[in-house]
Amino acid sequence: GAVVTVIIALADTVYVVKLFASGHVEKMFPVKVLNFMVGTLVTIGFSTVIKWVFIPIECLVSSEKSLSAYLRGDDAPCTPWAFPEIIISIPTLFVAACYMSFALVASILTFALNPLSQKPRAQCTGRVENMWLIAKIASSILVYVSKYISTIVTNSVVLLLMLVVMYNHLKIMPFHSHTINVIRGGIYAVITWMEFGSIIFSSVQIAMGVTPAQVTDGSMPQNLQWATVAMMPLAFAAGCYLVHRNRDSIYRRLDRLYGECEMQKALLE
């Protein structure tokens, strides 16, 4: 279902491009469909959709019933690159690559804001959305290589990307609505905190010589997990506060500049 939905979105994109290239801008229904699909498939449901698209190879990192089990029987091992599974796996990966490319381009081109906004530093840029999407893509892909490299490395990469997203969000504050900026700041802070907690959790596991399956109730890794979860509301509040404080500092600078401008005008008079 997810693959079919993505193919429909890609086909509609090509159709809309051809319409605009031929000058038939009066046909707005395909554009409205594309706008809806971008909102649902890229802005809201990207992580869920990409997980569904990756289902044919999910058995590489999951204990869920594999594609091989459906094709060969319940006792079949996970072999997404063997025949006949590869007939499904390779086209699915191609669709996933197209979908990620489509999402990256759409996050830049469709990031539209109110051009009449009077908010400080109002900008119409999808750069932060694009960085946020890159972080989600990296997180989705790194899951499949975590078995070959340390989870500390994969979590560190995502943590670094989230720090970049958070920094640029505070610097640009891309949404004209302060409420949306604040909420996004809280969400970014929570995910950044979760990645940091995962690094600490993995480090403690390695130091103790245990695997995630061997973690018991009351152990230090388990307590760290609970502590990470318990601190998530504080992380959200911290992210919201940073955005709000940044907005207030901009207002203070504008007030100071306005005061200096008025003073200069009075002196000239």
Side-chain angles (χ1 to χ4, degrees), residues 166-177:
M166 189 68 186
Y167 170 78
N168 281 276
H169 182 71
L170 292 173
K171 180 181 178 182
I172 299 174
M173 292 196 297
F175 298 96
H176 291 297
S177 170

Side-chain angles (χ1 to χ4, degrees), residues 6 10 50 91-105:
V6 170
L10 295 174
I50 199 66
T92 298
L93 292 179
F94 176 75
V95 171
C98 293
Y99 172 52
M100 288 185 284
S101 301
F102 163 76
L104 288 171
V105 174

Side-chain angles (χ1 to χ4, degrees), residues 71-145:
L71 296 177
R72 300 169 182 266
D74 292 338
D75 296 331
C78 173
T79 54
W81 314 122
F83 185 85
E85 293 93 323
I86 195 170
I87 298 177
I88 299 175
S89 300
I90 295 300
T92 298
L93 292 179
F94 176 75
V95 171
C98 293
Y99 172 52
M100 288 185 284
S101 301
F102 163 76
L104 288 171
V105 174
S107 66
I108 288 288
L109 298 182
T110 64
F111 191 83
L113 298 174
N114 178 11
L116 302 179
S117 175
Q118 300 294 319
K119 299 297 175 98
R121 297 172 65 186
Q123 299 182 53
C124 182
T125 174
R127 191 168 65 201
V128 180
E129 284 292 287
N130 199 249
M131 294 175 183
W132 169 227
L133 191 60
I134 289 172
K136 290 192 286 187
I137 291 174
S139 179
S140 301
I141 294 176
L142 287 172
V143 169
Y144 294 90
V145 301

Side-chain angles (χ1 to χ4, degrees), residues 1 6 24 42 125 171 174 181 186 212 242:
V6 170
H24 296 291
V42 177
T125 174
K171 180 181 178 182
N181 281 324
L242 288 174

Side-chain angles (χ1 to χ4, degrees), residues 159 162-163 186-200 224-236:
L159 175 62
M162 286 308 305
L163 289 172
I187 294 173
Y188 296 154
V190 168
I191 297 175
T192 303
W193 167 250
M194 290 174 61
E195 293 300 329
F196 176 75
S198 297
I199 293 173
I200 300 299
L224 285 173
Q225 283 184 319
W226 284 117
T228 301
V229 173
M231 294 288 287
M232 286 172 59
L234 291 178
F236 182 83

